[in-house]
Amino acid sequence: MSRAGAARGMPEGLEDRVRSAVIPHDGSNCMEATLSWLVPLLGHAQAHVELCPRRGRQDVTARLEALAAELRAAGATASTRIDFPDLLAANPSNSGAEHLVVLHGGGDLGLDLLRNSRASLFVTPTGLEPFAPRRILVPLDGSTKAEQILPLVERFTQAFAAEIVLLRVAPDETSEGALKARPNQVTTRLTLERSLLRASRRLEERGARVKVRIEDSGDLHDRILRAAHSSGADLIATSTHGHGRVARWLFGSCAERLLRRSQVPLLIRNARA
């Protein structure tokens, strides 16, 4: 496997966040490109990795054996299997470690895992040949639930010298047009900025490069995609839901829509994990 785009300087502490990974290989160049930089990262984490063919791709068996050997050489434990493991009933260990599923094209399998399993997902859009991320967009809502993605994002930034862009989407009353009509709403917008800056400072104290931005109000997933495009992000990292019943619905629904529409790779932390 080519090491172009492989991790430069493996991060400390990734093993606290990813203990196991499942990679259903579809034989595509996209999956090969993803694995060219993900294999060293998983190896450093000493993760247990299961490799299996994506449905209908039994012809990749020989490639899976070669990948398993590469993972073992990188420091991971790796095994191959002929079928996709049952993750829908999987439970993370008591240590809080996460299960990560690496997919090329989310499709029905990605949606099923997102809705019904405890697995977190790394998904590359169909046809895209990704490279190690250099700018990671992280949508937040001010809750600790949404910020649970940040430790995993930190590991990616440490591995790939990536920049973090923290994003808040303003509620309707803090949109630019509303602020002109009702200047007192400036206070609410400043509250959003301060929340982002607090999270930014915590990351910067640990060596991360961070920018913050607030998008005008609107459909959450549309604003996230717009921010990803305008900021030049090559990875969107999010949790499946934030705080409270409404936020859980918004973030869960948004993650599903991102899975269907995003042309940027996604790292989705399942809040059930």
Side-chain angles (χ1 to χ4, degrees), residues 138-215:
V138 185
L140 298 175
D141 70 350
S143 72
T144 55
K145 285 282 190 181
E147 290 184 5
Q148 286 176 351
I149 188 67
L150 292 178
L152 188 53
V153 169
E154 277 191 86
R155 308 307 185 248
F156 274 69
T157 64
Q158 293 165 0
F160 308 116
E163 178 183 71
I164 301 172
V165 180
L166 300 179
L167 171 71
R168 289 288 299 269
V169 176
D172 289 343
E173 67 270 14
T174 62
S175 66
E176 185 175 348
L179 290 175
K180 290 178 180 177
R182 292 177 291 171
N184 61 309
Q185 294 299 334
V186 169
T187 303
T188 304
R189 195 173 184 90
L190 287 175
T191 300
L192 299 181
E193 292 175 354
R194 288 169 183 154
S195 173
L196 286 178
L197 288 172
R198 283 194 296 270
S200 173
R201 280 194 294 271
R202 291 196 299 270
L203 292 166
E204 289 172 338
E205 287 170 357
R206 293 191 288 270
R209 294 183 296 117
V210 188
K211 292 182 178 179
V212 301
R213 64 182 292 159
I214 296 177
E215 281 287 323

Side-chain angles (χ1 to χ4, degrees), residues 92-103:
S93 69
N94 292 333
S95 66
E98 292 197 23
H99 301 281
L100 183 69
V101 181
V102 181
L103 296 175

Side-chain angles (χ1 to χ4, degrees), residues 1-7 10 14 21 23 25 31-47 49 51 63-64 66-78 100 102 156 160:
M1 175 184 296
S2 168
R3 287 291 179 262
M10 288 295 103
L14 182 65
I23 304 175
H25 203 311
M31 182 60 82
E32 287 293 314
T34 300
L35 292 175
S36 69
W37 55 268
L38 200 55
V39 163
L41 193 148
L42 292 171
H44 178 81
Q46 299 181 328
V49 184
L51 298 155
R63 181 66 188 125
L64 296 182
L67 281 171
E70 290 192 41
L71 282 158
R72 288 190 285 267
T77 60
L100 183 69
V102 181
F156 274 69
F160 308 116

Side-chain angles (χ1 to χ4, degrees), residues 15-29:
E15 60 271 22
D16 294 333
R17 291 293 161 181
V18 178
R19 294 281 177 86
S20 65
V22 178
I23 304 175
H25 203 311
D26 61 2
S28 67
N29 291 334

Side-chain angles (χ1 to χ4, degrees), residues 47-63:
H48 174 71
V49 184
E50 289 187 292
L51 298 155
C52 61
R54 190 87 179 241
R55 295 184 183 111
R57 290 306 306 263
Q58 300 302 320
D59 57 316
V60 300
T61 302
R63 181 66 188 125

